[in-house]
């Protein structure tokens, strides 16, 4: 939501914070809190792991009132080994998306996956955005053990009574968040998170930052570059959000792209019919999948994996090919042997909602519902979803109910920041998968048109998150750009990753990168 905060207010906000005081990660030290008092940052005292330091930054809740109430953002740092001289490249802030995802695990992953010579020259910084994870306060609206108790009602309503029950859940979630967090919800926006990002920059003592954002993190990065173009040194946008569809239209676009990815999965399963025995072509595997879903709606696997839990589980396949063998194997054992354990195990691994997931979901809704206007008339949603479901039945209704609390949110949506490129911006590197389901390729092209100085590297596959995921060509472009700012002369392509092999699950060879780790981090946002 555009707040019209002045640059003077930003300067005031920056003046009242201090530098980050880094320390071991863990529980905060009461001694540190006594020393710092209310001045700005607190540190941790119990080590988390070697090489990782933690700190905190206090930021205004409302940037129009920079001396008013403050909240705390949690940070971590993996410091480069090169001294801070001409060879050091500064800080690299990372964000895995969401909105609502913690960036601290992502920082550790990025630092470990960058080429050692490059990682040595960067301080990789992770941060939990306002309301997320270890930042304070952290939003929580419901008890996940109760609200997500399996099996949940089928997300594809088969009549008015079923629809009303699902609407009741959405209204309940919105009301709980409004009752608990009325003082904070007005200030949970992408624009405020971008201003928080600049407060982190100032607290780190940096004139300019390097930034790597995945998924929603690309939108946060684009908004930051719009508001603070002079503070950007390098900007990497991997799997980009369409800024022209924030957020209702973007979710409608997701329905179509997830349908395409689901069909890709069904076709891959049919190609390996000798292994899975679920059909020789996509029509047959589609029938087998729909039959499984219908049966689970009335007889949940293990008493927990019903139709909605199946939706959640197989949506994971839209993010990463690496999980396809596991999904197809569990599906095959259920259909051909009556063995439910594979489905139950896969669901527990990939799709169970715990307290961290509920926190992420609460912030996801808080930001998206507040960033932009949503239809408040449910008949508009019903008409759009009915139309979308005809062409894209895999995700339309599950996606609708995931976002439905925005129809009843206490805080009205605002006007999104108009993402644009100031002439002072350096070249930008965009990385994109052509068949990405979560952030469709067409949306990345729409962002690309708003950033004329950007160059896009495209791989033909469908994984969500292309860099540091095993594609050597993409990683070379990333490393070259972070090292010296070089982007391709024109938009270019990289060869895609190999298709998964039909085993229980894709496993990395000894010493190789785990193909599931990056999608796992990105799924933490969803």
């Amino acid at each position: 939501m555009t707040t019209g905060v002045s640059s003077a207010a930003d300067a005031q906000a920056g003046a009242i914070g201090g530098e980050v005081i880094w320390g071991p990660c863990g529980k905060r030290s009461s001694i540190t809190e006594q020393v710092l008092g209310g001045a700005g940052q607190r540190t941790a005292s119990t080590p988390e792991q070697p090489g990782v330091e933690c700190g905190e930054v206090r930021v205004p809740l409302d940037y129009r009132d920079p001396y008013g109430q403050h909240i705390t953002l949690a940070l971590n740092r993996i410091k480069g080994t090169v001294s801070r001289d001409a060879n050091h490249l500064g800080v690299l802030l990372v964000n895995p998306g969401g909105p609502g995802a913690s960036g601290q695990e992502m920082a550790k992953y990025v630092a470990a996956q960058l080429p050692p010579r490059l990682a040595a020259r960067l301080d990789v910084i992770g941060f939990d955005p306002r309301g997320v994870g270890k930042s304070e306060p952290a939003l929580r609206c419901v008890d996940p053990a109760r609200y997500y108790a399996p099996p949940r009602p089928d997300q594809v309503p088969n009549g008015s009574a079923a629809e009303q029950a699902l609407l009741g859940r959405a209204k309940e979630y919105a009301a709980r968040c409004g009752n608990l967090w009325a003082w904070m919800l007005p200030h949970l926006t992408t624009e405020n998170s971008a201003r928080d990002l600049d407060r982190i920059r100032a607290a780190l003592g940096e004139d300019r930052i390097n930034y790597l954002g995945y998924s929603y993190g690309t939108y946060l990065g684009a908004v930051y570059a719009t508001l603070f173009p002079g503070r950007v040194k390098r900007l990497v946008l991997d799997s980009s959000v369409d800024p022209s569809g924030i957020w209702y239209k973007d979710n409608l676009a997701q329905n179509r792209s997830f349908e395409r990815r689901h069909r890709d999965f069904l076709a891959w399963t049919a190609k390996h019919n000798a292994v899975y025995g679920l059909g020789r072509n996509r029509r047959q595997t589609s029938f087998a999948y729909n039959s499984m879903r219908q049966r689970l709606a009335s007889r949940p696997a293990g008493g927990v994996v019903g139709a909605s839990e199946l939706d959640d589980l197989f949506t994971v396949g839209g993010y990463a090919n690496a999980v396809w063998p596991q999904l197809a194997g569990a599906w095959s054992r259920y259909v051909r042997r009556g063995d439910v354990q594979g489905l139950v195990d896969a669901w527990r691994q990939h799709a169970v909602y715990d307290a961290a997931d509920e926190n992420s979901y609460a912030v996801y809704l808080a930001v998206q519902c507040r960033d932009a206007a949503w239809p408040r008339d449910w008949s508009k949603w019903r008409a759009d979803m009915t139309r979308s479901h005809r062409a894209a039945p895999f995700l339309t209704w599950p996606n609708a109910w995931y976002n439905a609390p925005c129809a009843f949110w206490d805080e009205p949506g605002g006007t999104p920041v108009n993402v644009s490129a100031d002439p002072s911006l350096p070249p930008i590197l965009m990385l994109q998968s052509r068949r990405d389901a979560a952030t469709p390729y067409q949306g990345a092209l729409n962002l690309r048109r708003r950033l004329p100085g950007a160059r896009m590297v495209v791989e033909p596959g469908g994984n969500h998150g292309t860099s540091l995921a095993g594609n050597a060509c993409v990683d070379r472009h990333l490393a070259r750009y972070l090292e010296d700012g070089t982007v391709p002369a024109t938009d270019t392509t990289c060869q895609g990753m190999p298709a998964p092999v039909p085993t229980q699950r894709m496993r990395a060879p000894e010493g190789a990168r785990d193909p599931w780790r990056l999608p796992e981090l990105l799924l933490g946002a969803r």
Side-chain angles (χ1 to χ4, degrees):
M1 172 180 184
T2 302
T3 61
V5 177
S6 68
S7 57
D10 282 323
Q12 284 182 315
I16 59 178
E19 67 179 31
V20 180
I21 300 175
W22 297 104
C25 300
K27 295 182 179 179
R28 287 190 303 274
S29 163
S30 59
I31 296 175
T32 306
E33 290 203 35
Q34 291 174 18
V35 170
L36 293 175
Q41 295 75 30
R42 294 173 292 182
T43 63
S45 61
T46 304
E48 178 195 58
Q49 69 180 58
V52 181
E53 302 169 292
C54 289
E56 296 180 357
V57 174
R58 288 176 61 79
V59 300
L61 173 67
D62 183 351
Y63 278 90
R64 295 167 299 184
D65 183 17
Y67 292 101
Q69 185 172 356
H70 279 59
I71 57 178
T72 302
L73 307 181
L75 281 65
N76 69 349
R77 175 175 72 172
I78 300 88
K79 194 173 182 180
T81 56
V82 171
S83 62
R84 299 282 285 189
D85 57 19
N87 287 322
H88 199 279
L89 297 172
V91 297
L92 173 64
L93 279 84
V94 299
N95 181 275
S102 166
Q104 297 200 40
E105 288 300 316
M106 177 62 76
K108 300 174 196 175
Y109 178 82
V110 169
Q113 298 303 326
L114 287 173
R117 73 179 191 285
L118 181 58
R121 300 176 64 193
L122 288 163
D123 294 349
V124 182
I125 308 292
F127 62 98
D128 289 354
R130 54 175 57 201
V132 174
K134 296 179 181 178
S135 291
E136 294 180 353
L139 259 68
R140 289 181 175 84
C141 296
V142 299
D143 174 8
R146 181 191 64 82
Y147 189 80
Y148 298 111
R152 307 193 314 275
D154 189 343
Q155 296 173 117
V156 181
N158 61 2
S160 177
E163 182 181 343
Q164 289 303 312
L166 292 162
L167 274 173
R169 286 174 57 84
K171 291 175 180 177
E172 176 194 356
Y173 198 96
R176 286 282 296 168
C177 288
N179 291 339
L180 290 170
W181 299 102
W183 64 274
M184 192 171 183
L185 292 184
H187 310 292
L188 286 166
T189 65
T190 299
E191 180 176 342
N192 278 339
S193 290
R195 296 188 184 282
D196 292 346
L197 192 57
D198 201 58
R199 278 291 303 112
I200 293 171
R201 175 204 59 77
L204 293 171
E206 300 287 334
D207 291 330
R208 297 187 298 161
I209 60 170
N210 306 296
Y211 178 88
L212 168 60
Y214 293 86
S215 194
Y216 166 80
T218 65
Y219 182 60
L220 176 59
V223 169
Y224 181 79
T226 299
L227 297 177
F228 303 100
R231 298 302 189 181
V232 176
K233 182 178 181 181
R234 311 263 196 272
L235 184 65
V236 184
L237 307 178
D238 189 327
S239 306
S240 292
V241 166
D242 183 354
S244 65
I246 307 297
W247 286 106
Y248 185 75
K249 290 181 179 179
D250 277 352
N251 279 284
L252 290 174
Q254 274 190 339
N255 298 340
R256 299 187 292 272
S257 55
F258 268 97
E259 184 69 27
R260 183 176 61 215
R261 280 286 280 162
H262 183 60
R263 292 176 182 178
D264 288 347
F265 166 66
L266 295 176
W268 176 87
T269 304
K271 181 179 179 181
H272 298 291
N273 186 52
V275 177
Y276 300 117
L278 294 165
R280 294 185 300 274
N281 54 52
R282 196 183 73 195
R283 181 181 61 81
Q284 292 178 350
T285 53
S286 179
F287 177 82
Y289 181 84
N290 292 334
S291 297
M292 172 177 64
R293 189 186 187 282
Q294 184 176 8
R295 180 173 178 80
L296 290 173
S298 58
R299 294 187 62 182
V304 293
V305 180
S308 291
E309 289 72 28
L310 189 77
D311 294 338
D312 296 345
L313 173 58
F314 277 75
T315 296
V316 173
Y319 285 82
N321 297 352
V323 77
W324 285 4
Q326 182 185 14
L327 297 181
W331 172 18
S332 177
R333 290 194 298 279
Y334 173 76
V335 170
R336 296 182 63 81
R337 304 180 200 167
D339 181 358
V340 303
Q341 197 58 48
L343 286 176
V344 172
D345 289 346
W347 172 74
R348 292 194 191 283
Q349 179 183 355
H350 299 300
V352 169
Y353 283 84
D354 60 16
D357 295 312
E358 199 280 318
N359 166 240
S360 179
Y361 180 52
V363 176
Y364 168 92
L365 288 173
V367 173
Q368 291 214 355
C369 299
R370 183 66 171 138
D371 264 355
W374 291 72
R376 292 284 177 157
D377 182 351
W378 184 251
S379 65
K380 163 70 172 169
W381 289 68
R382 184 190 298 114
D384 287 344
M385 300 314 151
T386 300
R387 188 181 310 111
S388 175
H389 182 75
R390 294 192 192 105
F394 174 68
L395 193 69
T396 290
W397 279 110
N399 205 16
W401 297 118
Y402 195 85
N403 293 281
C406 287
F408 312 104
W409 208 247
D410 278 7
E411 288 297 323
T415 302
V417 172
N418 182 26
V419 171
S420 59
D422 187 271
S424 65
L425 271 176
I428 295 166
L429 181 65
M430 296 180 66
L431 308 170
Q432 183 70 31
S433 169
R434 194 177 295 275
R435 297 182 74 81
D436 188 343
T439 50
Y441 176 64
Q442 183 58 52
L445 293 179
N446 290 342
L447 176 60
R448 168 73 177 80
R449 282 189 280 271
R450 296 189 182 208
L451 305 173
R455 294 294 180 267
M456 186 184 291
V457 178
V458 179
E459 72 165 25
N463 288 329
H464 185 57
T466 63
S467 63
L468 306 180
N471 190 314
C473 171
V474 172
D475 290 351
R476 282 194 297 271
H477 283 288
L478 173 67
R480 189 178 305 122
Y481 175 71
L482 290 176
E483 195 161 18
D484 60 20
T486 298
V487 295
T490 61
D491 291 351
T492 189
T493 60
C494 283
Q495 186 174 346
M497 298 287 287
V501 295
T503 57
Q504 170 62 21
R505 177 184 151 189
M506 290 285 286
R507 297 187 183 277
E510 187 68 27
R513 178 184 287 130
D514 182 355
W516 173 243
R517 183 56 180 145
L518 178 63
E520 186 177 45
L521 289 169
L522 299 184
L523 274 165
R526 176 73 164 163

